């Protein structure tokens, strides 16, 4: 593998954080040798990887049961050649429906939670292997596993504490939905808004400091 581009990691992470849906490419079990592509809503995991809610009856679920290697296409806003996009390669794995995971899912996509109650739906999460990031002419390359491993991941327990501690510091008529090492997400009405930190946090103390600074700045706007 070549063309490693560690400098693209921050841009890739922000794209992953702000993506609300993507196209999942799986190996077709019914048609061996052919790719099967599905559109899916998603919620970013604490590390930025997509979490999806899929039915056991779905074609893509049957495909990953036999071959978990997949690709996930994510893009910035409406697809256009001038917009950033990334194809993330990895393994799609079942994810336990733990309380903090479900709480994050409910904050980001309340409509997805109801499907889990139907019985044949379950949580799955992408495990990073490699990604191809493109953001226009001259800004493209591969992000490797070694690059990916460099970034700090805020634990779900720490996020829950910060959400509680800083809920009252949000701008008027907004709700603090999620916090990670690269920024925060606010909801105003039905709209999710992404606000990146001035500098990514490399530990809990740094994330807390960046969170406080960003909320202070938003309060002055």
């Amino acid at each position: 593998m070549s063309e490693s581009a560690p400098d693209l990691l921050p841009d890739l992470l922000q794209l992953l954080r702000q993506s609300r849906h993507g196209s999942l490419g799986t190996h077709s079990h019914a048609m061996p040798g052919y790719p099967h592509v599905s559109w899916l809503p998603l919620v970013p995991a604490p590390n930025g990887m997509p979490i999806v809610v899929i039915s056991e009856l779905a074609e893509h679920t049957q495909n990953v049961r036999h071959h978990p290697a997949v690709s996930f296409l994510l893009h910035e806003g409406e697809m256009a050649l001038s917009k950033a996009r990334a194809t993330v390669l990895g393994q799609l794995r079942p994810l336990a429906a733990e309380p903090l995971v479900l709480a994050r899912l409910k904050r980001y996509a309340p409509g997805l939670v109801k499907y889990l109650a139907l019985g044949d739906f379950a949580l799955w999460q992408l495990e990073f292997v490699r990604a191809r990031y493109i953001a226009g002419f001259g800004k493209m390359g591969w992000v490797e596993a070694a690059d990916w491993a460099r970034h700090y991941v805020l634990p779900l327990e720490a996020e829950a504490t910060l959400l509680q501690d800083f809920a009252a510091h949000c701008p008027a008529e907004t709700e603090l939905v999620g916090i990670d090492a690269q920024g925060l997400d606010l909801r105003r009405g039905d709209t999710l808004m992404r606000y990146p930190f001035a500098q990514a946090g490399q530990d809990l103390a740094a994330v807390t400091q960046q969170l406080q600074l960003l909320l202070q700045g938003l309060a002055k706007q």
Side-chain angles (χ1 to χ4, degrees), residues 31-145:
M31 294 285 292
Y34 287 86
H36 180 93
V37 181
S38 310
W39 179 92
L40 290 172
L42 61 89
V43 168
N47 67 354
M49 284 289 92
I51 295 175
V52 294
V53 178
I54 55 179
S55 169
E56 187 64 34
L57 300 177
E59 194 75 19
H60 44 239
T61 307
Q62 301 306 309
N63 292 342
V64 297
R65 290 286 188 195
H66 291 89
H67 201 315
V70 303
S71 66
F72 222 120
L73 173 63
L74 305 143
H75 54 81
E76 177 189 7
E78 296 183 2
M79 179 59 86
L81 291 177
S82 60
K83 298 285 188 177
R85 63 265 193 199
T87 299
V88 184
L89 309 178
Q91 308 281 325
L92 197 63
R93 304 292 190 188
L95 178 65
E98 299 175 352
L100 290 176
V101 174
L102 291 176
R104 188 167 227 265
L105 183 74
K106 186 175 182 179
R107 293 195 306 272
Y108 276 88
L112 291 180
V113 178
K114 64 182 180 182
Y115 289 104
L116 295 175
L118 297 179
D120 71 321
F121 282 81
L123 292 170
W124 293 69
Q125 180 177 333
L126 187 64
E127 294 180 356
F128 184 92
V129 172
R130 201 179 188 215
R132 179 71 175 179
Y133 178 83
I134 301 173
F137 183 77
K139 191 173 184 180
M140 62 184 70
W142 288 97
V143 176
E144 308 289 357

Side-chain angles (χ1 to χ4, degrees), residues 4-10 142-143 147 150:
S4 177
D7 58 310
L8 295 178
L9 178 61
W142 288 97
V143 176
D147 305 327
R150 291 189 297 106

Side-chain angles (χ1 to χ4, degrees), residues 128-212:
F128 184 92
V129 172
R130 201 179 188 215
R132 179 71 175 179
Y133 178 83
I134 301 173
F137 183 77
K139 191 173 184 180
M140 62 184 70
W142 288 97
V143 176
E144 308 289 357
D147 305 327
W148 179 258
R150 291 189 297 106
H151 84 280
Y152 170 70
V153 178
L154 184 70
L156 281 169
E157 295 81 0
E159 181 193 28
T161 299
L162 291 174
L163 287 170
Q164 182 176 354
D165 292 346
F166 286 89
H169 299 270
C170 294
E173 301 180 354
T174 65
E175 173 193 358
L176 188 55
V177 173
I179 305 165
D180 53 71
Q182 286 75 42
L184 62 85
D185 294 293
L186 292 176
R187 174 178 283 110
R188 177 177 283 116
D190 295 328
T191 304
L192 274 175
M193 300 171 292
R194 177 70 184 173
Y195 294 95
F197 293 148
Q199 182 176 344
Q202 298 303 318
D203 54 34
L204 177 56
V207 171
T208 304
Q209 182 184 41
Q210 289 294 318
L211 174 62
Q212 185 174 16

